[in-house]
Coordinates of all heavy atoms in Angstrom, one line a residue:
M70 N -8.5 -11.9 7.5 CA -9.7 -11.2 7.7 C -9.9 -10.6 9.1 O -9.5 -11.3 10.1 CB -11.0 -12.1 7.4 CG -11.0 -12.6 6.0 SD -11.4 -11.3 4.8 CE -13.2 -11.2 4.9
K71 N -10.3 -9.4 9.2 CA -10.6 -8.7 10.5 C -12.0 -8.2 10.5 O -12.6 -7.9 9.5 CB -9.5 -7.7 10.7 CG -8.1 -8.2 11.0 CD -7.2 -7.1 11.4 CE -5.8 -7.7 11.7 NZ -4.8 -6.7 12.0
Y72 N -12.4 -7.9 11.7 CA -13.7 -7.4 11.9 C -13.7 -5.9 12.0 O -13.0 -5.3 12.8 CB -14.3 -8.0 13.2 CG -15.7 -7.4 13.5 CD1 -16.8 -7.9 12.9 CD2 -15.9 -6.5 14.5 CE1 -18.1 -7.4 13.1 CE2 -17.1 -6.0 14.8 CZ -18.2 -6.5 14.1 OH -19.5 -6.0 14.4
C73 N -14.5 -5.2 11.2 CA -14.7 -3.8 11.2 C -15.9 -3.4 12.0 O -17.0 -3.8 11.6 CB -14.7 -3.2 9.8 SG -15.0 -1.4 9.8
P74 N -15.8 -2.7 13.1 CA -16.9 -2.3 13.9 C -17.8 -1.3 13.2 O -19.0 -1.2 13.6 CB -16.3 -1.8 15.2 CG -15.0 -1.3 14.8 CD -14.5 -2.3 13.7
Y75 N -17.3 -0.5 12.3 CA -18.1 0.5 11.6 C -19.0 -0.1 10.5 O -20.1 0.3 10.3 CB -17.2 1.5 11.0 CG -16.2 2.1 12.0 CD1 -14.9 1.9 12.0 CD2 -16.7 3.0 13.0 CE1 -14.0 2.4 13.0 CE2 -15.9 3.5 13.9 CZ -14.5 3.3 13.9 OH -13.7 3.8 14.9
C76 N -18.4 -1.1 9.8 CA -19.2 -1.8 8.7 C -19.9 -2.9 9.3 O -20.8 -3.5 8.6 CB -18.2 -2.2 7.6 SG -17.3 -0.9 6.9
N77 N -19.6 -3.3 10.5 CA -20.2 -4.4 11.2 C -20.1 -5.7 10.4 O -21.1 -6.5 10.2 CB -21.7 -4.1 11.4 CG -22.3 -4.9 12.6 OD1 -21.5 -5.3 13.5 ND2 -23.5 -5.2 12.6
Q78 N -18.9 -6.0 9.8 CA -18.7 -7.2 9.0 C -17.2 -7.5 9.0 O -16.4 -6.6 9.3 CB -19.3 -7.0 7.6 CG -18.6 -5.9 6.8 CD -19.2 -5.8 5.5 OE1 -19.0 -6.6 4.6 NE2 -20.0 -4.7 5.2
M79 N -16.9 -8.7 8.5 CA -15.5 -9.1 8.3 C -15.0 -8.4 7.0 O -15.7 -8.5 6.0 CB -15.4 -10.6 8.2 CG -15.8 -11.3 9.5 SD -14.9 -10.8 10.9 CE -13.4 -11.6 10.6
V80 N -13.8 -7.8 7.1 CA -13.2 -7.2 5.9 C -11.8 -7.7 5.8 O -11.2 -8.1 6.7 CB -13.3 -5.7 5.9 CG1 -14.7 -5.2 6.0 CG2 -12.5 -5.2 7.2
S81 N -11.2 -7.6 4.6 CA -9.8 -7.9 4.4 C -9.1 -6.6 4.4 O -9.3 -5.8 3.5 CB -9.5 -8.7 3.2 OG -9.6 -8.0 2.1
P82 N -8.3 -6.3 5.5 CA -7.7 -5.0 5.6 C -6.6 -4.7 4.6 O -6.0 -5.6 4.0 CB -7.0 -5.1 7.0 CG -6.9 -6.5 7.3 CD -7.9 -7.2 6.5
V83 N -6.5 -3.4 4.2 CA -5.5 -3.0 3.2 C -4.7 -1.9 3.8 O -5.1 -1.2 4.7 CB -6.2 -2.4 2.0 CG1 -7.0 -3.5 1.3 CG2 -7.2 -1.3 2.3
K84 N -3.5 -1.8 3.3 CA -2.6 -0.6 3.6 C -2.7 0.3 2.4 O -2.3 -0.1 1.3 CB -1.2 -1.0 3.9 CG -1.0 -1.6 5.2 CD 0.5 -1.9 5.4 CE 0.8 -2.4 6.9 NZ 2.2 -2.6 7.1
R85 N -3.1 1.5 2.6 CA -3.2 2.4 1.4 C -2.1 3.4 1.4 O -2.0 4.3 2.3 CB -4.6 3.2 1.5 CG -5.7 2.4 1.1 CD -6.9 3.3 1.0 NE -8.2 2.5 0.8 CZ -9.3 2.8 1.3 NH1 -9.5 3.9 1.9 NH2 -10.4 2.1 1.1
P86 N -1.2 3.3 0.4 CA -0.2 4.4 0.3 C -0.9 5.6 -0.2 O -1.9 5.5 -1.0 CB 0.7 3.8 -0.8 CG 0.0 2.8 -1.5 CD -1.1 2.3 -0.6
S87 N -0.4 6.8 0.2 CA -1.0 8.0 -0.3 C -0.3 8.4 -1.5 O 0.8 8.9 -1.5 CB -1.0 9.1 0.8 OG 0.3 9.1 1.4
W88 N -0.9 8.3 -2.6 CA -0.3 8.5 -3.9 C 0.1 9.9 -4.2 O 1.1 10.2 -4.9 CB -1.1 7.9 -5.1 CG -1.2 6.4 -5.0 CD1 -2.3 5.6 -4.6 CD2 -0.1 5.5 -5.2 NE1 -1.9 4.3 -4.6 CE2 -0.6 4.2 -5.0 CE3 1.2 5.6 -5.6 CZ2 0.2 3.0 -5.1 CZ3 2.0 4.5 -5.7 CH2 1.5 3.2 -5.5
F89 N -0.8 10.8 -3.7 CA -0.5 12.2 -3.9 C 0.8 12.6 -3.3 O 1.7 13.2 -3.8 CB -1.6 13.1 -3.4 CG -1.3 14.5 -3.5 CD1 -1.4 15.2 -4.7 CD2 -0.9 15.2 -2.3 CE1 -1.2 16.6 -4.8 CE2 -0.7 16.6 -2.4 CZ -0.8 17.3 -3.6
L90 N 1.0 12.2 -2.0 CA 2.2 12.4 -1.2 C 3.4 11.7 -1.9 O 4.5 12.3 -2.0 CB 2.0 11.9 0.2 CG 3.1 12.2 1.2 CD1 3.1 13.7 1.5 CD2 2.9 11.4 2.5
F91 N 3.1 10.5 -2.4 CA 4.2 9.7 -3.1 C 4.7 10.5 -4.3 O 6.0 10.7 -4.4 CB 3.5 8.4 -3.5 CG 4.5 7.4 -4.0 CD1 5.0 6.5 -3.1 CD2 4.8 7.3 -5.3 CE1 5.9 5.5 -3.5 CE2 5.7 6.3 -5.8 CZ 6.2 5.4 -4.8
I92 N 3.9 10.9 -5.1 CA 4.3 11.6 -6.3 C 4.9 13.0 -6.0 O 5.9 13.4 -6.5 CB 3.1 11.8 -7.3 CG1 2.6 10.4 -7.8 CG2 3.5 12.7 -8.5 CD1 1.3 10.4 -8.4
F93 N 4.3 13.7 -5.1 CA 4.7 15.0 -4.7 C 6.1 15.0 -4.2 O 7.0 15.7 -4.6 CB 3.8 15.6 -3.6 CG 4.1 17.0 -3.2 CD1 3.9 18.1 -4.0 CD2 4.7 17.2 -1.9 CE1 4.2 19.3 -3.5 CE2 5.0 18.4 -1.5 CZ 4.8 19.5 -2.3
L94 N 6.4 14.1 -3.2 CA 7.7 14.0 -2.6 C 8.8 13.5 -3.7 O 9.9 13.9 -3.6 CB 7.7 13.0 -1.4 CG 7.0 13.6 -0.2 CD1 6.9 12.6 0.9 CD2 7.7 14.8 0.3
S95 N 8.3 12.6 -4.6 CA 9.2 12.1 -5.6 C 9.8 13.3 -6.5 O 10.9 13.4 -6.8 CB 8.5 11.1 -6.5 OG 8.2 10.0 -5.8
V96 N 8.8 14.2 -6.8 CA 9.2 15.3 -7.6 C 10.1 16.3 -6.9 O 11.1 16.8 -7.4 CB 7.9 16.1 -8.1 CG1 8.3 17.4 -8.8 CG2 7.1 15.2 -9.0
I97 N 9.8 16.6 -5.6 CA 10.5 17.5 -4.8 C 11.9 17.0 -4.5 O 12.9 17.8 -4.6 CB 9.8 17.8 -3.5 CG1 8.4 18.5 -3.8 CG2 10.6 18.7 -2.6 CD1 8.5 19.8 -4.5
T98 N 12.0 15.8 -4.0 CA 13.3 15.3 -3.5 C 14.1 14.4 -4.5 O 15.2 13.9 -4.2 CB 13.1 14.5 -2.2 OG1 12.4 13.3 -2.5 CG2 12.4 15.4 -1.2
G99 N 13.4 14.1 -5.6 CA 14.1 13.2 -6.6 C 14.2 11.8 -6.1 O 15.0 11.0 -6.6
G100 N 13.3 11.4 -5.2 CA 13.2 10.0 -4.8 C 14.0 9.6 -3.6 O 13.9 8.5 -3.2
S101 N 14.8 10.5 -3.1 CA 15.6 10.1 -2.0 C 14.9 9.9 -0.7 O 15.4 9.3 0.3 CB 16.7 11.2 -1.7 OG 16.1 12.4 -1.5
W102 N 13.6 10.4 -0.6 CA 12.8 10.2 0.6 C 12.2 8.8 0.7 O 11.7 8.5 1.7 CB 11.6 11.2 0.5 CG 10.7 10.9 -0.7 CD1 10.9 11.3 -2.0 CD2 9.6 10.1 -0.7 NE1 9.9 10.7 -2.7 CE2 9.1 10.0 -2.0 CE3 8.9 9.4 0.4 CZ2 7.9 9.3 -2.3 CZ3 7.8 8.7 0.0 CH2 7.3 8.6 -1.3
I103 N 12.3 8.1 -0.4 CA 11.6 6.8 -0.5 C 12.0 5.8 0.6 O 11.2 5.1 1.1 CB 11.8 6.1 -1.9 CG1 10.8 4.9 -2.0 CG2 13.2 5.7 -2.1 CD1 9.5 5.4 -2.7
F104 N 13.2 5.9 1.0 CA 13.7 5.0 2.1 C 13.1 5.3 3.4 O 12.7 4.5 4.2 CB 15.3 5.1 2.2 CG 15.9 4.8 0.9 CD1 16.5 5.8 0.1 CD2 16.0 3.5 0.5 CE1 17.1 5.4 -1.1 CE2 16.6 3.1 -0.7 CZ 17.2 4.1 -1.5
I105 N 12.9 6.6 3.7 CA 12.3 7.1 4.9 C 10.8 6.7 4.9 O 10.3 6.2 5.9 CB 12.5 8.6 5.1 CG1 13.9 9.0 5.2 CG2 11.7 9.1 6.3 CD1 14.2 10.4 4.9
Y106 N 10.2 6.9 3.8 CA 8.8 6.5 3.7 C 8.6 5.0 3.8 O 7.6 4.6 4.4 CB 8.2 7.0 2.4 CG 6.7 6.8 2.3 CD1 5.8 7.7 3.0 CD2 6.1 5.8 1.6 CE1 4.5 7.5 3.0 CE2 4.8 5.6 1.6 CZ 3.9 6.5 2.3 OH 2.6 6.3 2.2
A107 N 9.5 4.3 3.3 CA 9.4 2.8 3.3 C 9.4 2.3 4.8 O 8.6 1.5 5.2 CB 10.5 2.1 2.5
I108 N 10.3 2.9 5.6 CA 10.4 2.6 7.0 C 9.1 3.0 7.7 O 8.5 2.2 8.5 CB 11.6 3.3 7.6 CG1 12.9 2.7 7.0 CG2 11.6 3.1 9.1 CD1 14.1 3.6 7.3
Y109 N 8.6 4.2 7.4 CA 7.4 4.7 8.0 C 6.2 3.8 7.7 O 5.4 3.4 8.5 CB 7.1 6.1 7.5 CG 5.7 6.5 7.7 CD1 5.1 6.9 8.9 CD2 4.8 6.5 6.6 CE1 3.8 7.2 9.1 CE2 3.5 6.9 6.7 CZ 3.0 7.2 7.9 OH 1.7 7.6 8.1
Y110 N 6.2 3.4 6.4 CA 5.1 2.6 5.9 C 5.0 1.2 6.6 O 3.9 0.8 7.0 CB 5.3 2.4 4.4 CG 4.1 1.6 3.7 CD1 3.0 2.3 3.3 CD2 4.2 0.3 3.5 CE1 1.9 1.6 2.7 CE2 3.2 -0.4 2.9 CZ 2.0 0.3 2.5 OH 1.0 -0.4 1.9
F111 N 6.1 0.6 6.7 CA 6.1 -0.8 7.3 C 6.0 -0.8 8.8 O 5.5 -1.7 9.4 CB 7.3 -1.6 6.8 CG 7.2 -2.0 5.4 CD1 8.0 -1.4 4.4 CD2 6.3 -2.9 5.0 CE1 8.0 -1.8 3.1 CE2 6.2 -3.3 3.6 CZ 7.0 -2.7 2.7
L112 N 6.5 0.3 9.4 CA 6.4 0.3 10.9 C 5.2 0.9 11.5 O 4.6 0.5 12.4 CB 7.7 1.0 11.4 CG 9.0 0.3 11.2 CD1 10.1 1.2 11.9 CD2 9.0 -1.1 11.9
F113 N 4.7 2.0 10.8 CA 3.7 2.8 11.5 C 2.3 2.8 10.7 O 1.3 3.1 11.3 CB 4.2 4.2 11.7 CG 5.4 4.3 12.5 CD1 6.6 4.7 11.9 CD2 5.4 4.0 13.8 CE1 7.8 4.7 12.7 CE2 6.5 4.0 14.6 CZ 7.7 4.4 14.0
K114 N 2.4 2.5 9.4 CA 1.1 2.6 8.7 C 0.2 1.5 9.1 O 0.6 0.3 9.2 CB 1.4 2.4 7.2 CG 0.3 2.7 6.3 CD 0.1 4.2 6.0 CE -0.9 4.4 4.9 NZ -1.2 5.8 4.7
K115 N -1.0 1.9 9.5 CA -2.0 0.9 10.0 C -2.8 0.4 8.9 O -3.1 1.1 7.9 CB -2.9 1.6 11.0 CG -2.2 1.8 12.4 CD -3.2 2.3 13.4 CE -2.5 2.4 14.8 NZ -3.4 2.8 15.8
E116 N -3.3 -0.8 9.1 CA -4.2 -1.4 8.1 C -5.5 -0.8 8.3 O -6.0 -0.5 9.3 CB -4.3 -2.9 8.4 CG -3.0 -3.7 8.0 CD -3.1 -5.2 8.3 OE1 -3.8 -5.5 9.3 OE2 -2.6 -6.0 7.6
Q117 N -6.2 -0.6 7.1 CA -7.4 0.1 7.1 C -8.5 -0.8 6.5 O -8.2 -1.7 5.7 CB -7.4 1.3 6.2 CG -6.5 2.4 6.8 CD -6.5 3.6 5.9 OE1 -5.8 3.6 4.9 NE2 -7.2 4.7 6.3
C118 N -9.7 -0.5 6.9 CA -10.9 -1.2 6.2 C -11.0 -0.7 4.8 O -11.0 0.5 4.6 CB -12.1 -0.8 7.0 SG -13.7 -1.4 6.2
P119 N -11.1 -1.6 3.8 CA -11.2 -1.2 2.4 C -12.5 -0.5 2.1 O -12.6 0.2 1.1 CB -11.1 -2.5 1.7 CG -11.6 -3.5 2.6 CD -11.2 -3.0 4.0
I120 N -13.5 -0.6 2.9 CA -14.8 -0.1 2.7 C -15.0 1.4 3.2 O -15.3 2.3 2.5 CB -16.0 -1.0 3.2 CG1 -15.9 -2.3 2.5 CG2 -17.3 -0.3 3.0 CD1 -16.6 -3.4 3.3
C121 N -14.7 1.5 4.6 CA -15.0 2.8 5.2 C -13.6 3.5 5.6 O -13.7 4.6 5.9 CB -15.8 2.6 6.5 SG -14.9 1.7 7.8
G122 N -12.5 2.8 5.4 CA -11.2 3.4 5.7 C -10.9 3.5 7.2 O -10.0 4.1 7.7
G123 N -11.8 2.8 8.0 CA -11.6 2.8 9.5 C -10.4 2.0 9.9 O -10.0 1.1 9.2
K124 N -9.7 2.5 10.9 CA -8.5 1.8 11.4 C -8.7 1.0 12.6 O -7.7 0.5 13.2 CB -7.4 2.9 11.6 CG -7.0 3.6 10.3 CD -6.0 4.7 10.6 CE -5.7 5.5 9.3 NZ -4.8 6.6 9.5
D125 N -9.9 1.0 13.1 CA -10.1 0.3 14.4 C -10.6 -1.2 14.1 O -11.6 -1.6 14.5 CB -11.2 1.1 15.2 CG -11.3 0.5 16.6 OD1 -10.3 -0.1 17.1 OD2 -12.3 0.7 17.2
L126 N -9.7 -1.9 13.4 CA -10.1 -3.3 13.1 C -9.7 -4.2 14.2 O -8.8 -4.0 14.9 CB -9.4 -3.7 11.8 CG -9.7 -2.8 10.6 CD1 -8.9 -3.3 9.4 CD2 -11.2 -2.8 10.3
R127 N -10.5 -5.2 14.4 CA -10.3 -6.2 15.5 C -10.3 -7.6 14.9 O -10.9 -7.9 13.9 CB -11.5 -6.1 16.5 CG -11.5 -4.8 17.2 CD -12.8 -4.4 17.7 NE -12.9 -3.0 18.0 CZ -14.0 -2.4 18.6 NH1 -15.0 -3.1 18.9 NH2 -14.0 -1.1 18.8
K128 N -9.5 -8.4 15.7 CA -9.4 -9.8 15.3 C -10.7 -10.5 15.9 O -11.1 -10.2 17.0 CB -8.2 -10.4 15.9 CG -6.9 -10.0 15.2 CD -5.7 -10.6 15.8 CE -4.4 -10.0 15.1 NZ -3.2 -10.5 15.8
R129 N -11.2 -11.4 15.1 CA -12.3 -12.2 15.6 C -12.0 -13.7 15.4 O -11.7 -14.0 14.3 CB -13.6 -11.8 14.9 CG -14.3 -10.7 15.5 CD -15.4 -11.2 16.5 NE -16.0 -10.1 17.2 CZ -17.2 -9.6 16.9 NH1 -17.9 -10.1 15.9 NH2 -17.7 -8.6 17.6
Ligands
LIG1626 ZN1 -15.2 -0.6 7.6

């Protein structure tokens, strides 16, 4: 659990894949992009607040 300053409460953060991008790229490249996206997802994708989508979560 992390603290969301926007919702002013403790939330359990989520990583949200962008499904539109996911499907779009799959169709265009035939799935070969998935490896690149996987690396991006695990290295750079930030955890978000499930309520407001805020990325400025803090440990409390
Ligand atoms: Zn929030």
